[in-house]
């Protein structure tokens, strides 16, 4: 559908510096980490993902005044967003981050399936006064294709970090 094409377009945009956005998939399968020649499963996915997101954001902020972050919803990213808020609340200049959505459903923010609702509950409410610039999907339109096209125009030429939730069946 129209909403899925949004970030396929944004990820393919050429970057003037030749950099590609960092895409961090979060899923139910264990994350793997190489340690001394062995590969071990990481059980603390939320904490590991939050640390990785924080590193990528800090790296991007070191070289640019503003950075873009695209988040997904679903059951897997929520704990990572909560941990990211804990790790970064005092140190990251969130006011320099533009926050977009990698996917979203056309439901009210209060609906349990709303990715905006999840991000607000797990990340934004935990950041205190250091808030990113939030760019939510317009929910007033009934036409999914038009909503996607309108949101696509809101996207920057380049996304610095895209976080994708991966469901049990492998969908994003």
């Amino acid at each position: 559908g129209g909403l899925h094409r949004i970030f396929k377009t944004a990820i393919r945009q050429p970057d003037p510096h030749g950099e590609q956005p960092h895409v961090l998939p979060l899923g139910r399968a264990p994350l793997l980490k190489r340690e001394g020649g062995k590969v071990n499963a990481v059980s603390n996915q939320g904490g590991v993902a939050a640390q990785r997101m924080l590193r990528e954001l800090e790296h991007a902020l070191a070289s640019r005044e503003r950075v873009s972050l695209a988040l997904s919803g679903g059951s897997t990213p929520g704990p990572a967003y909560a941990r990211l808020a804990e790790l970064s609340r005092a140190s990251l200049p969130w006011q320099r981050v533009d926050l977009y959505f990698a996917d979203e459903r056309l439901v009210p923010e209060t609906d349990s399936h709303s990715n905006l609702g999840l991000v607000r509950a797990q990340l934004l409410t935990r950041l205190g006064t250091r808030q990113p610039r939030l760019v939510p999907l317009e929910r007033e339109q009934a036409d999914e294709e038009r909503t996607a096209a309108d949101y696509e125009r809101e996207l920057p030429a380049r996304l610095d970090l895209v976080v994708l939730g991966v469901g049990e069946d492998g969908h994003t």
Side-chain angles (χ1 to χ4, degrees):
L3 297 181
H4 288 112
R5 79 164 193 246
I6 294 172
F7 284 90
K8 290 177 186 171
T9 301
I11 289 172
R12 284 193 222 125
Q13 294 294 324
D15 177 46
H17 306 291
E19 295 179 34
Q20 292 297 316
H22 295 275
V23 178
L24 178 60
L26 299 177
R28 293 194 185 277
L31 295 174
L32 301 177
K33 183 177 182 182
R34 181 174 294 279
E35 295 173 338
K38 289 184 174 182
V39 177
N40 298 314
V42 176
S43 60
N44 181 12
Q45 289 187 32
V48 170
Q51 290 170 354
R52 173 84 187 274
M53 284 187 277
L54 180 57
R55 268 195 320 270
E56 297 296 344
L57 288 168
E58 288 172 337
H59 175 75
L61 285 162
S63 62
R64 288 184 285 293
E65 181 59 32
R66 297 207 65 80
V67 299
S68 57
L69 168 64
L71 298 179
S72 291
S75 59
T76 52
Y81 300 157
R83 184 70 179 128
L84 176 62
E86 291 173 26
L87 292 172
S88 67
R89 184 171 50 206
S91 63
L92 195 75
W94 279 101
Q95 64 278 9
R96 292 175 46 205
V97 176
D98 297 326
L99 179 59
Y100 299 90
F101 289 87
D103 64 343
E104 181 58 292
R105 296 167 183 93
L106 292 178
V107 296
E109 183 181 339
T110 55
D111 188 289
S112 64
H113 293 101
S114 168
N115 295 342
L116 173 59
L118 171 80
V119 168
R120 194 175 302 280
Q122 297 298 318
L123 178 66
L124 300 178
T125 59
R126 298 167 193 248
L127 290 178
T129 59
R130 299 178 111 177
Q131 292 287 311
R133 183 179 79 92
L134 182 64
V135 185
L137 187 74
E138 176 59 52
R139 290 171 157 61
E140 302 302 316
Q141 298 183 54
D143 181 353
E144 183 179 294
E145 289 294 322
R146 183 173 177 165
T147 300
D150 289 348
Y151 196 66
E152 197 169 3
R153 284 189 286 278
E154 296 288 328
L155 294 173
R158 178 186 189 281
L159 293 165
D160 294 295
L161 177 60
V162 178
V163 178
L164 299 176
V166 181
E168 289 181 16
D169 63 358
H171 77 278
T172 57

